Amino acid sequence: MDVVWTRLRIGLVTAILGLPQVYAGEPGDARRPLPEDLSEASLEQLMDIEVVSVTRRPQPKSRTAAAVYIITAEEIRRSGARSIPELLRMVPGLHVARINTSQWAIAARGTNGQYSNRMLVMVDGRALSTSIYGGVYWDAQDLLLEDVERIEVLRGPSATAWGPRAANGVVNIITKKAAETQGGYLEAGGGGHERVFGGARFGGKLGSRAHYRVSGQMLRRHHTWREDSGDGADGWNAERTGVRLDWYATERDEVNLSGNAYDTRTGQNAGLPFPLPYGGAAVAELHGHGGDALAHWRHDSTDGAQTDVQFSQDWAANRGWRWDENVYNLDFDLRRRTRSFGGHSLQYGINYVQTRCSLTDFTDPGADSVHRSPRRFSVFLDDEWALTDALSLSLGGRIEHNTYTGIELQPEIRLAWEPKRGNTLWFATARGARPPTPLETDARGEIAQIGSIGGVPVAMCLADNPGIRSETVRAVEAGYRADVTAKVSVDLAAYWNSYAGLRSVALAGFSPGAPARLYVKFDDRDSGRVTGVESNVEWWLRNNLRLVANHTWTRLVVKEAGGPRLPVGAGGPGSVPTHEGQLRSYLTLPRKVTFDTALYVSGPLERFSLPAHARLDARLAWGGGEHAEFSVTGSELQGGSHIEFYSEFSGRPGAFGRSLYGMVAWRF
């Protein structure tokens, strides 16, 4: 721990405090407006940015009754990050931990794991979660970050607005409209862990009312390192292509069409990461490919009402270790927002999701395959009531019927009070329910050969559990956000979450024979409580220097059910640190030079006996003309190497150390 705090002090001195002496800038108003560069916008402007992820209505961030954080396009560009998970490290209250080159564990306000599935992740309203286990395959989400307008992250239940996958929060990735990406864009780079990557995009017009863009990108990422073997065998190769068309059919009708296709191959050092007397590992390649299509229509009525209709579908095929996984999802969503009357703004809608999925052990022709077609249908209603000019109340609820547990109720109450402009107190309480997944209820088959007893091989096998319940959360949260001065803003949130039906992996039986079989199953008898405090401070130290600091404190108590179990699963204690913090700086220098740093500190993970660690990233960029930018990005600059997380079932972790890559971007 002493090493961590020593590196913290060094990083603070060299990366932050010394920077203003390099270039102090001209005196003036730190709140000057620069609408096309949000990193230099005033604090008041930043607080007034509209968000849609809380209630699906556009609302100024300053008046939202929720813990919400926005990553802007400028912050994305200046971060130097090459993936969505690395960008999410900026968000207070999110625990982001990298497992290997292509896999991350990401969760909010609770336990974490590679297969965490209590947070909804979307791109333009289309859910990215896989139906097999409800989480996200992050290696399949290699977006062209230049096309992302912003990322809105909501911590806390939002099932009323978005459905059961939002039991613990929402990550809403909003891409730029086609009209904002006209002309050409090229990027290329490589070096260090990134090895080589590139992307291209072109946008144009179709008549006077339609715009389009097409894009493509690729990456070749190096493997990580392991102390026992050197080569982590987890390199990542990926290609992706996409298209978008925006058509303004009339002054009141907008149509959006988009589609994507991807192919990804990742090395997988497969093995069981928990202590077993006969544990082993085998190297395999995971191959995934798939695509998606989305159609969205929005109509603005003359009376101020608005109607949104969206249809999306996606499909994916993954093969790795010993499983073939095939998934097809269809999602229909209709939402209607009425005009305001008597201080009320009503919103209601329906949602229907149908899935076809299969899971097959391709190494055993005689093994049973899992084929399921779960469905969900829900209706929701939300009323935002302006009690006074300063006080607003939102009451809502969603009623859903799903294939596994029948009817689930998910109510929500939000209250926001703005006694004076730029100062908001808010309160929220909600119930969320995450229904079981096919992996938890129906999957069965051999997981791995784990050793032998007296010369007889022993196999670990997964048993089904069709009676498993939904995971539920009852949440109470409150917060305060304010512009303390013209140059300083604060955002605080505190919460209490109570969980029932937390998942664990229990021993289900033993069957002698050749091979002998040790059966395990997903269990729903654990419960828990999570309390926490999240804080974020932004400070314009000088006209050209902006600092962002945040801290997260989390206390997790899990009540484990009796009986034999395996120490795996995302439901156990110690899978998130008690303390996490970060300090980021954005420095603008003369001659179109920018220098940005990020220092992250994370406490120990007791579940995996992983010590606390610090990470220092930096990016130096030069806009060498009106259309080009050259940049160099370094990550893990503090030196040394460390493991951030262990997977629940497969994928031995890789160690991460210092890496440096260069990049050139050209717009024409």
Side-chain angles (χ1 to χ4, degrees):
M1 191 66 186
D2 291 339
V3 174
V4 170
W5 291 111
T6 298
R7 289 173 177 168
L8 172 59
R9 291 192 295 268
I10 294 173
L12 286 171
V13 173
T14 60
I16 306 298
L17 298 182
L19 292 179
Q21 301 174 15
V22 177
Y23 175 67
E26 297 297 327
D29 182 8
R31 298 164 62 87
R32 63 193 186 282
L34 288 175
E36 294 187 1
D37 188 347
L38 289 178
S39 72
E40 298 182 10
S42 71
L43 290 176
E44 184 177 4
Q45 288 175 315
L46 291 174
M47 295 291 278
D48 283 340
I49 293 177
E50 287 192 336
V51 298
V52 297
S53 299
V54 180
T55 62
R56 301 180 70 168
R57 297 181 183 88
Q59 295 175 297
K61 178 187 174 184
S62 60
R63 298 203 63 173
T64 57
V68 62
Y69 190 90
I70 301 175
I71 305 174
T72 67
E74 186 70 6
E75 288 174 326
I76 292 172
R77 182 180 66 84
R78 295 179 64 163
S79 70
R82 296 298 308 162
S83 65
I84 295 294
E86 293 302 310
L87 288 170
L88 295 178
R89 290 184 188 270
M90 300 183 192
V91 182
L94 276 195
H95 179 226
V96 179
R98 199 167 181 177
I99 298 171
N100 56 33
T101 296
S102 61
Q103 297 172 336
W104 285 263
I106 302 176
R109 297 185 172 182
T111 56
N112 199 6
Q114 180 184 345
Y115 300 104
S116 295
N117 51 15
R118 303 187 194 103
M119 175 170 277
L120 174 66
V121 183
M122 302 181 293
V123 172
D124 296 329
R126 180 182 61 82
L128 301 183
S129 55
T130 175
S131 300
I132 291 290
Y133 75 91
V136 177
Y137 287 130
W138 291 107
D139 60 324
Q141 315 306 330
D142 180 38
L143 306 180
L144 184 64
L145 298 183
E146 170 68 17
D147 288 346
V148 177
E149 177 184 319
R150 68 184 186 275
I151 302 174
E152 299 180 3
V153 181
L154 169 66
R155 292 107 59 201
S158 189
T160 293
W162 299 106
R165 295 302 180 203
N168 250 23
V170 175
V171 175
N172 190 7
I173 304 166
I174 300 171
T175 64
K176 298 173 183 175
K177 293 183 178 297
E180 300 170 354
T181 55
Q182 296 295 282
Y185 172 80
L186 294 173
E187 67 176 30
H193 187 65
E194 294 298 333
R195 192 179 171 189
V196 63
F197 59 86
R201 183 199 67 215
F202 183 80
K205 296 180 65 175
L206 297 174
S208 61
R209 290 184 174 269
H211 298 82
Y212 71 90
R213 70 164 174 258
V214 293
S215 62
Q217 66 183 103
M218 55 77 66
L219 67 83
R220 300 289 184 267
R221 189 165 291 175
H222 268 306
H223 57 74
T224 58
W225 295 92
R226 290 181 56 197
E227 294 181 359
D228 56 351
S229 63
D231 186 347
D234 58 357
W236 180 17
N237 298 338
E239 296 85 31
R240 185 180 186 91
T241 185
V243 60
R244 172 166 174 160
L245 172 68
D246 295 338
W247 175 39
Y248 296 89
T250 70
E251 295 297 326
R252 299 185 179 276
D253 294 275
E254 178 183 351
V255 177
N256 313 112
L257 303 174
S258 63
N260 300 275
Y262 70 90
D263 185 273
T264 179
R265 295 177 181 270
T266 62
Q268 175 72 68
N269 202 323
L272 301 175
F274 45 85
L276 284 176
Y278 305 105
V283 175
E285 182 183 67
L286 305 182
H287 180 207
H289 62 275
D292 60 77
L294 180 145
H296 178 264
W297 169 60
R298 171 169 294 173
H299 174 72
D300 296 315
S301 302
T302 55
D303 61 358
Q306 187 179 83
T307 302
D308 285 89
V309 179
Q310 179 166 296
F311 173 83
S312 66
Q313 59 179 344
D314 61 83
W315 57 96
N318 300 295
R319 165 173 282 215
W321 197 5
R322 61 185 306 158
W323 302 99
D324 271 335
E325 174 187 329
N326 292 275
V327 177
Y328 172 80
N329 295 312
L330 181 150
D331 192 322
F332 174 80
D333 188 84
L334 183 149
R335 179 178 62 90
R336 169 97 174 156
R337 189 174 78 228
T338 67
R339 65 182 179 87
S340 298
F341 60 94
H344 293 268
S345 176
L346 286 177
Q347 184 176 225
Y348 56 90
I350 63 173
N351 178 251
Y352 176 75
V353 178
Q354 179 176 333
T355 296
R356 293 200 305 268
C357 57
S358 65
L359 193 64
T360 305
D361 183 352
F362 62 80
T363 66
D364 183 0
D368 293 333
S369 298
V370 177
H371 297 276
R372 290 291 283 174
S373 298
R375 296 177 175 85
R376 302 197 317 265
F377 176 79
S378 62
V379 297
F380 81 93
L381 173 66
D382 176 74
D383 178 18
E384 185 173 352
W385 184 12
L387 301 174
T388 68
D389 291 340
L391 185 65
S392 64
L393 174 67
S394 178
L395 303 173
R398 180 180 291 264
I399 302 175
E400 178 183 274
H401 182 275
N402 68 76
T403 299
Y404 295 108
T405 62
I407 294 178
E408 298 281 2
L409 303 178
Q410 298 170 104
E412 178 180 284
I413 301 173
R414 297 185 184 275
L415 183 68
W417 178 43
E418 190 178 30
K420 67 176 183 177
R421 179 168 175 76
N423 289 259
T424 301
L425 288 163
W426 60 268
F427 168 85
T429 182
R431 179 186 186 270
R434 182 192 68 79
T437 65
L439 178 66
E440 297 167 343
T441 60
D442 302 298
R444 56 191 179 273
E446 183 178 305
I447 300 174
Q449 296 286 337
I450 60 173
S452 62
I453 301 177
V456 177
V458 178
M460 178 178 289
C461 301
L462 181 64
D464 58 1
N465 186 2
I468 200 167
R469 302 173 298 163
S470 293
E471 279 190 349
T472 61
V473 56
R474 291 181 294 117
V476 178
E477 54 182 329
Y480 172 70
R481 64 174 62 91
D483 292 336
V484 180
T485 71
K487 297 185 178 182
V488 178
S489 71
V490 298
D491 196 341
L492 307 174
Y495 66 91
W496 175 87
N497 288 2
S498 177
Y499 294 93
L502 288 176
R503 299 301 189 249
S504 62
V505 179
L507 296 178
F510 183 81
S511 174
R517 299 182 182 274
L518 177 68
Y519 289 96
V520 299
K521 67 177 182 179
F522 287 98
D523 192 40
D524 62 3
R525 295 176 297 157
D526 287 359
S527 59
R529 296 188 307 275
V530 183
T531 54
V533 178
E534 303 154 352
S535 60
N536 187 76
V537 179
E538 299 192 22
W539 180 21
W540 278 99
L541 185 61
R542 295 181 182 273
N543 291 346
N544 65 316
L545 177 60
R546 173 173 164 244
L547 303 182
V548 181
N550 60 57
H551 175 263
T552 301
W553 172 78
T554 306
R555 183 175 183 267
L556 169 65
V557 178
V558 175
K559 183 179 180 181
E560 296 183 342
R565 61 172 57 212
L566 296 181
V568 299
S575 58
V576 294
T578 302
H579 293 278
E580 286 187 286
Q582 61 180 268
L583 178 61
R584 306 196 310 273
S585 71
Y586 300 89
L587 178 66
T588 302
L589 297 168
R591 301 183 183 277
K592 299 184 179 180
V593 175
T594 59
F595 181 58
D596 309 306
T597 65
L599 179 65
Y600 303 92
V601 178
S602 181
L605 293 180
E606 298 176 0
R607 185 174 183 81
F608 310 116
S609 299
L610 291 176
H613 68 271
R615 166 176 171 157
L616 178 63
D617 298 346
R619 177 181 183 268
L620 177 65
W622 170 54
E626 183 179 353
H627 303 292
E629 182 181 62
F630 304 88
S631 63
V632 177
T633 300
S635 61
E636 305 279 1
L637 296 178
Q638 77 285 350
S641 63
H642 63 272
I643 292 173
E644 293 189 5
F645 207 83
Y646 282 80
S647 172
E648 294 95 309
F649 278 109
S650 65
R652 293 183 179 274
F656 298 92
R658 185 183 292 117
S659 180
L660 192 71
Y661 80 85
M663 172 178 159
V664 58
W666 182 36
R667 298 168 181 83
F668 58 94

